[in-house]
Amino acid sequence: KVDDCFDYIVKTMDDAIPDLMLRRESSDLGQVDQLVAASIKARVLLFRASPFYSGNREFYEDFLDHDRQPFFPVNDDEARTKTKWKDAADAADAAIKLCESNGKGLYTYDRIEFPYDTTAFRLNRDIMKTYYNLRMVIVDPWNKELIWGYSGQAITESGQLQTLANIRLPVGYTPGVTNSNTLSEQWLGPTLKMLDRYYTVNGLPLDADRSFNRNKQYEIVHTPEDEYPEDSEYDRMRGLMQPDIETVRIYLNREIRFYANLGITGGYWRAHAHLIPTTMYNDQAGGYSGAHTDNYLCTGLGLQKMVHPESKSGDWRRVVRFPYPIIRMADLYLMKAEALNEYLDEGADRSEVYKTINVVRARAGIPDVETAWTDLNYVKPEYFEKHHTKTGMRDIILQERGIELAFEGSRYWDMIRYKKATNEFSTPIYGWTTEGITGSEFFLIEMKEARTFNETYYLWPIDLDELNTNANIIQNPGW
């Protein structure tokens, strides 16, 4: 039974935690310690409480074992589900306290900026400090936010994620260094859907922000010449967007995680130890060209989040290695906010939920939840005070997770947990028309790949060898 599996996992972790080393240090980083185990236990309990695993009569009422009993706890009532959410909230809170008491916390960049950003820091210091906090949180190795990281060969050497994500070094930057990214092809590009997920500068979704015009989002625009005018809508863009550059309106006036995570035409790419003004057009760095017909960012968008700014071209040994995040503090804060929101009754005081999610939003440089969803200068009336309901706050938390933890492997499981995967993953992959050489030719939406996700895919098939080994095993539905 699903609940028996969860109970076994949690009990085993509870038995193990007291005998684990409190904190792994130095050459033992990446091995499991009490901080890691407590944090992963919180994640396990969050999954157990989620709608896919708790109840789910909709999918698995007829998925029965040999005793004709359902594998899934389809009879979970409101009280049982509430207890599971309370367990998850308590576990996340306990993990947060344990981690914080042992020096863990949200990452902030505490060194001098890279030389190429000196002017941007002088002109736009607060924005650039926030940018560095967000740009470096994943790639600064073993920083205080990382609770558990993976540094195996697949990530750290020739097959690593940042090898696939980095753009080619443009010609003329560093004499004697080959004009390539590293050994592998440069394929990895975020989907066009990611442009919608990130908030506006006001900390609101695009559809909820009255200052954002959906009808003009794909309009080709030019950023102002030279320095951006002070006290204008572009004032905060210094260091984030190039001056006097052709781009598209949906790239402007977004939250800073948008610029720290993505590589966009009209922005900057901080890699190869250079500040590279980025244009993804045909025959540009990151773009399609006759010389690189299968070595370009296939959607016309880049993924800077997983590329260290000092990683260089030519060989994987010139790449600055860092552990891939399995779990970090921002995830714990958002897990606590989610579990607590689900545990509380409708209409209950949610101030603790807001306080917890606002820790992450503050680091991102956006307004807190209470401000964002009540300021009628920006929020549309139909979204006013959305955060006051359990359902509304659930949507806000899931979007916050989708932004903060983007490209870290959590979105898939969040959609599974809430039985949203069929809708989320059955739409095609879209990107820009990468062969374009001007904005009017490039910023055209193009389908890159069709996708299908049906109910069968929620549970994966049990291998035929396992079924042949043990005839008592029952195959998952649909396989």
Side-chain angles (χ1 to χ4, degrees):
K1 306 291 196 302
V2 167
D3 266 351
D4 293 339
C5 295
F6 276 112
D7 290 344
Y8 172 80
I9 293 168
V10 172
K11 181 181 184 303
T12 303
M13 297 178 87
D14 285 340
D15 290 344
I17 286 173
D19 294 325
L20 291 172
M21 185 180 294
L22 178 61
R23 283 196 64 177
R24 295 285 187 173
E25 302 284 357
S26 188
S27 60
D28 290 333
L29 287 169
Q31 297 184 26
V32 175
D33 56 25
Q34 289 188 23
L35 276 63
V36 169
S39 301
I40 296 298
K41 175 185 171 183
R43 179 179 285 171
V44 169
L45 289 170
L46 185 84
F47 274 54
R48 185 182 72 161
S50 299
F52 181 80
Y53 298 99
S54 178
N56 204 355
R57 183 181 294 272
E58 175 189 3
F59 285 7
Y60 301 124
E61 182 177 22
D62 298 327
F63 183 28
L64 308 177
D65 66 10
H66 289 292
D67 296 324
R68 308 303 296 167
Q69 297 300 311
F71 280 106
F72 278 71
V74 296
N75 295 316
D76 273 5
D77 57 16
E78 184 178 350
R80 174 62 176 156
T81 301
K82 189 172 181 178
T83 297
K84 289 182 176 180
W85 282 117
K86 179 66 162 56
D87 290 344
D90 289 346
D93 186 62
I96 289 169
K97 289 176 179 175
L98 179 64
C99 289
E100 288 180 340
S101 66
N102 282 276
K104 297 293 184 181
L106 290 187
Y107 172 83
T108 55
Y109 186 81
D110 58 3
R111 298 186 295 280
I112 192 169
E113 69 273 8
F114 295 109
Y116 51 69
D117 274 329
T118 300
T119 300
F121 265 78
R122 177 175 56 82
L123 296 173
N124 214 11
R125 186 166 189 82
D126 289 343
I127 294 293
M128 290 306 299
K129 285 177 65 177
T130 300
Y131 175 90
Y132 266 57
N133 291 341
L134 301 168
R135 178 67 177 84
M136 299 297 293
V137 61
I138 302 300
V139 300
D140 194 351
W142 300 112
N143 65 68
K144 73 173 186 177
E145 181 160 342
L146 186 63
I147 301 169
W148 195 18
Y150 173 72
S151 55
Q153 181 176 359
I155 297 296
T156 60
E157 295 185 2
S158 59
Q160 63 186 312
L161 187 58
Q162 64 173 317
T163 298
L164 298 175
N166 204 359
I167 63 170
R168 297 185 302 274
L169 178 65
V171 174
Y173 271 81
T174 305
V177 177
T178 181
N179 178 33
S180 63
N181 48 324
T182 53
L183 294 180
S184 297
E185 284 80 3
Q186 166 201 27
W187 291 335
L188 200 61
T191 67
L192 214 60
K193 182 181 285 188
M194 292 305 300
L195 298 184
D196 280 5
R197 187 175 302 162
Y198 286 87
Y199 295 134
T200 67
V201 65
N202 303 311
L204 290 167
L206 298 185
D207 287 333
D209 194 328
R210 65 196 308 167
S211 70
F212 184 82
N213 189 336
R214 275 289 200 182
N215 295 325
K216 294 184 176 181
Q217 63 182 2
Y218 299 135
E219 181 180 56
I220 308 299
V221 296
H222 248 78
T223 58
E225 297 181 13
D226 301 323
E227 300 298 345
Y228 293 113
E230 292 186 13
D231 302 322
S232 76
E233 64 172 320
Y234 297 107
D235 183 31
R236 63 183 303 278
M237 305 299 293
R238 288 175 292 189
L240 305 179
M241 293 289 288
Q242 304 165 47
D244 192 23
I245 188 71
E246 183 179 64
T247 188
V248 66
R249 188 173 293 281
I250 197 172
Y251 288 173
L252 303 180
N253 292 315
R254 305 299 295 274
E255 60 158 310
I256 300 175
R257 285 178 295 196
F258 180 88
Y259 304 101
N261 290 181
L262 303 179
I264 58 174
T265 294
Y268 294 102
W269 193 285
R270 290 166 170 87
H272 307 289
H274 290 288
L275 180 67
I276 303 171
T278 314
T279 301
M280 302 289 185
Y281 297 164
N282 193 335
D283 215 22
Q284 303 294 317
Y288 177 92
S289 74
H292 301 283
T293 55
D294 60 353
N295 184 5
Y296 64 99
L297 301 175
C298 59
T299 60
L301 293 164
L303 173 54
Q304 288 200 75
K305 184 176 183 177
M306 296 298 175
V307 179
H308 193 286
E310 293 182 304
S311 286
K312 298 179 181 179
S313 290
D315 191 282
W316 64 262
R317 282 161 291 210
R318 296 169 64 88
V319 169
V320 178
R321 294 184 287 181
F322 59 87
Y324 187 84
I326 299 173
I327 192 164
R328 58 187 177 96
M329 287 298 294
D331 194 359
L332 272 185
Y333 291 124
L334 294 175
M335 284 196 290
K336 177 183 173 181
E338 178 189 339
L340 193 56
N341 178 66
E342 298 299 332
Y343 167 71
L344 293 172
D345 294 328
E346 197 70 71
D349 179 12
R350 280 181 159 68
S351 56
E352 185 68 18
V353 178
Y354 307 149
K355 176 183 175 182
T356 307
I357 192 175
N358 285 339
V359 171
V360 177
R361 290 174 68 95
R363 198 261 301 271
I366 55 176
D368 59 42
V369 166
E370 303 96 303
T371 300
W373 295 94
T374 59
D375 188 347
L376 284 172
N377 290 313
Y378 299 110
V379 67
K380 293 179 180 177
E382 60 267 35
Y383 294 94
F384 182 68
E385 293 186 341
K386 179 179 180 178
H387 63 298
H388 281 180
T389 67
K390 176 182 291 193
T391 302
M393 196 61 210
R394 179 188 304 143
D395 290 344
I396 293 169
I397 292 169
L398 286 178
Q399 182 153 358
E400 193 72 46
R401 288 183 60 84
I403 297 170
E404 176 63 32
L405 305 174
F407 315 112
E408 296 177 45
S410 71
R411 179 72 175 178
Y412 173 83
W413 295 106
D414 286 347
M415 296 298 97
I416 293 287
R417 292 191 296 114
Y418 279 93
K419 301 187 289 188
K420 295 176 179 287
T422 301
N423 289 334
E424 180 75 7
F425 303 135
S426 291
T427 55
I429 298 291
Y430 291 102
W432 300 122
T433 303
T434 50
E435 295 183 31
I437 59 175
T438 65
S440 60
E441 296 173 344
F442 177 86
F443 291 117
L444 300 173
I445 297 175
E446 180 178 85
M447 190 180 84
K448 303 296 183 178
E449 181 179 287
R451 292 194 307 181
T452 301
F453 192 105
N454 61 47
E455 190 176 306
T456 299
Y457 299 167
Y458 278 91
L459 294 181
W460 297 346
I462 299 173
D463 190 274
L464 184 60
D465 288 342
E466 296 291 342
L467 297 175
N468 290 335
T469 301
N470 185 350
N472 291 315
I473 293 176
I474 297 174
Q475 179 62 279
N476 283 328
W479 298 101

